[in-house]
Amino acid sequence: MLGALREGTSVRAARTAASMVLERSDQQAVTEADHDRPLPGYARWGLSVRPDCPPALRAQFGTHRRFTHRVEQAGALDGPADYATSWGPASHVLDVLSTGRPVFPARVGEAQDALRPLVRDHLADREDAWAVLAQLIDTFHGNAVELVVTAGAIA
């Protein structure tokens, strides 16, 4: 796996090599190998855009603004909390998160923890705020944070 990552001289070869990184132990080996001798750029990119790439490893690969922007453009995020609070539209994000218990039970709590204080502060037990949210959700283009704050403010 590490040899294939080091030999990846094209995007395709690097993505194929990155697909071999399956377990946490593989990710740890990649982290250590990159720390000892940085992996080639294509391999770093192939690993960085994977949704299961640990945030610490992604940061180790690069923190330059251009690199992080391209990673975000590719749709790779640091985790469920980041997805829940920054991705949009809100209706799509909330649909994905609603599948959390059966699909990704170990990580859904991160998204809930990120949204819980927001909901408590802006909606709580205010029926009017929840009614506004229900009216906005299908046509709202912003993220979940903007939706909750907007619904609370309108109510």
Side-chain angles (χ1 to χ4, degrees), residues 37-57:
R37 192 175 95 217
L39 293 170
Y42 287 127
R44 288 173 163 225
W45 178 253
L47 291 164
S48 293
V49 297
R50 287 184 46 164
D52 62 343
C53 183
L57 179 58

Side-chain angles (χ1 to χ4, degrees), residues 23-143:
E23 310 269 330
R24 285 186 191 259
S25 59
D26 296 338
Q27 293 170 345
Q28 184 60 37
V30 168
T31 301
E32 291 170 7
D34 181 70
H35 184 69
D36 292 341
R37 192 175 95 217
L39 293 170
Y42 287 127
R44 288 173 163 225
W45 178 253
L47 291 164
S48 293
V49 297
R50 287 184 46 164
D52 62 343
C53 183
L57 179 58
R58 190 176 287 131
Q60 180 177 321
F61 287 155
T63 56
H64 189 275
R65 187 176 48 181
R66 188 171 175 186
F67 176 79
T68 56
H69 175 72
R70 286 185 175 172
V71 169
E72 288 172 2
Q73 290 288 43
L77 301 168
D78 286 342
D82 190 23
Y83 177 70
T85 58
S86 65
W87 206 252
S91 61
H92 177 72
V93 170
L94 296 173
D95 282 343
V96 170
L97 293 176
S98 72
T99 66
R101 291 268 181 248
V103 178
F104 47 96
R107 307 231 25 220
V108 71
E110 295 174 43
Q112 290 173 335
D113 292 344
L115 293 174
R116 186 176 294 113
L118 184 71
V119 169
R120 185 180 22 214
D121 292 346
H122 295 278
L123 303 177
D125 59 355
R126 297 173 45 207
E127 289 181 30
D128 56 337
W130 285 100
V132 170
L133 185 133
Q135 289 175 344
L136 291 176
I137 196 162
D138 290 331
T139 58
F140 195 82
H141 295 286
N143 62 40

